[in-house]
Amino acid sequence: ALQAATERGIDRAKGMKPGEKIPFFACGLSSVMHPKNPHCPTMHFNYRYFETDGGVWWFGGGTDITPSYLDVEDMKHFHGTYKNVCDKHDSEYYKKFKKWADDYFLIKHRGETRGLGGIFFDDQNDKSSEKHLAFSEDCLKAVTEAYVPIIAKHKEDSFTEKEKQWQLIRRGRYVEFNLVYDRGTVFGLKTGGRIESILMSLPETARWEYDHHPLPNSPESEIMDAFVNSREWV
């Protein structure tokens, strides 16, 4: 379970005998928004802290966005907001954590990402705990600045049944990532957590179509290119 919670789980066994279970404390805050309108992106954030009885601690977390349709200005706003937060704490954070998000949210069996990223970090204990906590707090506070204007911009957008079906297909990809690759889901299941809480990130509805491919030069194929080929937004 501890290895599922971190990329370097073996490093977290300090002070424990080989094979011994590692008592730990964990706390965090997570939220996922799955809007009904296909032009309003899904947003997820999670910020967490772990500490073992062996005296090892670390912070992790991130905020990411998953649109069904591409609005470049929205992505510039979202990523720009988090670049500003990162730059306030460390000039290397955004570049490093943006790439980490692109890599982490890859659906390997599809060769595409779940969404269009954001920031993601884990195993952070190279500075004081106070500095890491302050960074996580600022990232959390930035959620409304990064996300709410995008929802306000698109919440009244009209949409077709075809666009709704595409949103549900993309939510199927969301389900695939969360159930197959997401470390938080694996950690929760392995530690006997509350199932309703562990699976709270899943959308209410999703769709799968056999061998589905968007039509060339369509809005759907435009965003598929961004899912397959990582972009720099700021």
Side-chain angles (χ1 to χ4, degrees):
L2 188 64
Q3 287 181 320
T6 173
E7 289 198 343
R8 302 195 307 271
I10 192 66
D11 296 340
R12 305 316 185 195
K14 179 182 178 182
M16 313 303 293
K17 297 178 181 178
E20 185 177 0
K21 289 186 177 181
I22 305 173
F24 65 89
F25 166 81
C27 63
L29 182 64
S30 298
S31 180
V32 183
M33 299 289 291
H34 288 296
K36 294 184 180 296
N37 192 312
H39 299 289
C40 292
T42 287
M43 184 279 303
H44 156 260
F45 71 78
N46 169 262
Y47 293 95
R48 56 193 178 272
Y49 172 77
F50 281 82
E51 183 177 307
T52 74
D53 281 13
V56 183
W57 58 267
W58 68 97
F59 286 82
T63 304
D64 62 280
I65 195 163
T66 305
S68 297
Y69 288 94
L70 180 59
D71 185 313
V72 173
E73 292 306 312
D74 289 349
M75 294 306 99
K76 288 181 178 179
H77 168 76
F78 183 85
H79 281 267
T81 300
Y82 274 96
K83 184 179 187 302
N84 290 338
V85 174
C86 288
D87 289 350
K88 174 183 173 182
H89 292 265
D90 191 309
S91 62
E92 297 297 318
Y93 270 0
Y94 177 74
K95 180 180 179 180
K96 177 181 178 181
F97 296 161
K98 192 267 184 187
K99 183 180 186 306
W100 207 334
D102 290 342
D103 293 342
Y104 177 73
F105 290 109
L106 177 66
I107 307 172
K108 299 179 181 65
H109 61 273
R110 295 282 189 182
E112 64 194 56
T113 53
R114 185 178 78 175
L116 295 182
I119 61 168
F120 178 87
F121 59 92
D122 206 353
D123 302 307
Q124 298 300 295
N125 64 0
D126 58 330
K127 300 178 181 179
S128 70
S129 58
E130 289 79 11
K131 287 184 177 180
H132 286 300
L133 176 60
F135 175 61
S136 293
E137 288 178 336
D138 282 350
C139 287
L140 183 58
K141 292 174 182 176
V143 168
T144 51
E145 179 186 350
Y147 184 59
V148 171
I150 296 174
I151 296 302
K153 176 181 175 181
H154 294 290
K155 66 180 181 178
E156 302 297 338
D157 287 1
S158 61
F159 59 89
T160 65
E161 181 61 25
K162 177 185 175 182
E163 290 171 331
K164 184 65 179 180
Q165 294 305 306
W166 171 248
Q167 180 196 49
L168 296 181
I169 289 173
R170 291 312 307 174
R171 289 190 170 171
R173 300 293 203 267
Y174 205 96
V175 171
E176 289 179 29
F177 175 85
N178 283 31
L179 294 183
V180 177
Y181 301 111
D182 184 70
R183 290 209 304 267
T185 302
V186 174
F187 172 77
L189 295 175
K190 287 190 174 183
T191 54
R194 183 173 179 268
I195 298 300
E196 285 74 13
S197 298
I198 297 167
L199 300 181
M200 57 75 66
S201 63
L202 300 180
E204 182 181 15
T205 54
R207 181 182 179 90
W208 285 263
E209 291 188 14
Y210 182 78
D211 198 25
H212 181 272
H213 297 282
L215 293 175
N217 302 315
S218 65
E220 293 81 12
S221 67
E222 178 186 28
I223 197 167
M224 272 302 304
D225 181 75
F227 293 144
V228 174
N229 302 295
S230 176
R231 300 184 187 182
E232 298 301 321
W233 304 103
V234 293

